[in-house]
Amino acid sequence: MANKALDNGVKILQDLVDDIQFSNEQFSVKTKGGKAYKAKIVIGAYGKRANLDVKLNRKFIKIKSPYLAVKTHVKGVFPDDLVALHNFEGGYCGISKVEDNNINLCYITNFNSFKKFKNIEDFQEKVVFNNRFLKTIFNESIPVFEEPLTISQISFEIKKPIENHIIMCGDTAALIHPLSGNGMSMAIRSAQLASLLIIKFFNSEISNRDDLEKQYLREWNATFKSRLKIGRIVANLFNKPKISEVLMQVIKRFPSILPHIIKRTHGKVMKVK
């Protein structure tokens, strides 16, 4: 995608944005590298959380989140066409094939469950491996990463898709629970929504910034709001061990329920315009 942008005359700058201010219908963007830029439109696509969220005084960043995630890639035996999901006490783990024939193992857990143990290995041994499927795949595979990647303070709080006139995309606009979501497709879809509307804005098909923001918010909510809500409900249910056990038994007995849940959290096929 970066190469495609370059082929179309886009100039890519690699720097860390330190501050964004909006005044007189124009943005001022300052970077850690000491650069300053002016822009008519700014899109926020910088992930789950950043120091920029503090500068923008976003509400979610003030709320302490109880979640942390651990991710690693391994080499082993796993079907190419399967996405597996296994829960354990205090969390759940997703497993799927990714690039270079690697297996992606990523689990999310409550920090209160994790902090009882000395390190990741101890937590996995004492908690995660109580699920025999997870124990097997971890023990019978070869790590690709030297160390697992970890991220804390993962927030599933509601965010605003527009902050200080900045159009937010992907995880910067909202983070869906990995249990029920498809974050990468949400990022691509939100970028498509934003891009098509911004083109209309620059072509004067959308007359002013206020209309641009209202249309983006309306389309974003129509596309993602329900999916995020269902995702939160499903994740909260699976965070309750006894309830999740009952739910799993119900789904095993009535497997036709599962496609309906997936459909409610994954949205429609994206059309190229």
Side-chain angles (χ1 to χ4, degrees), residues 41 43 167 191-207 212 273:
I41 293 288
I43 301 169
I167 296 173
Q192 185 193 45
L193 292 177
S195 299
L196 293 173
L197 290 172
I198 290 168
I199 290 169
K200 288 183 177 180
F201 177 67
F202 281 122
N203 288 339
S204 300
E205 295 174 57
I206 296 175
S207 59
L212 168 66
K273 297 183 181 181

Side-chain angles (χ1 to χ4, degrees), residues 68-72 85-86 88 90-95 104-110 114 119-125 128-129 134 138 148-151 154 178:
L68 71 90
V70 178
K71 173 182 177 177
T72 190
L85 190 67
H86 293 284
F88 53 87
Y92 52 86
C93 179
I95 309 165
N104 179 61
L105 300 172
C106 186
Y107 62 82
I108 187 168
T109 186
N110 191 298
F114 184 82
N119 50 47
I120 291 173
E121 291 76 17
D122 196 28
F123 175 74
Q124 289 179 176
E125 189 68 40
V128 177
F129 291 176
L134 294 176
F138 272 90
L149 304 176
T150 60
I151 181 172
I154 300 173

Side-chain angles (χ1 to χ4, degrees), residues 28-89:
S28 297
V29 181
K30 295 181 180 179
T31 72
K32 286 284 188 183
K35 301 289 186 180
Y37 303 94
K38 299 289 185 182
K40 192 170 184 177
I41 293 288
V42 168
I43 301 169
Y46 49 84
K48 300 173 182 66
R49 62 190 295 122
N51 289 335
L52 196 55
D53 291 313
V54 179
K55 292 279 182 73
L56 294 172
N57 199 32
R58 302 185 77 188
K59 187 176 179 180
F60 86 91
I61 202 76
K62 302 172 186 177
I63 303 170
K64 191 171 182 180
S65 173
Y67 297 106
L68 71 90
V70 178
K71 173 182 177 177
T72 190
H73 285 178
V74 300
K75 293 287 188 184
V77 178
F78 192 79
D80 292 341
D81 58 351
L82 178 67
V83 176
L85 190 67
H86 293 284
N87 62 334
F88 53 87
E89 187 176 355

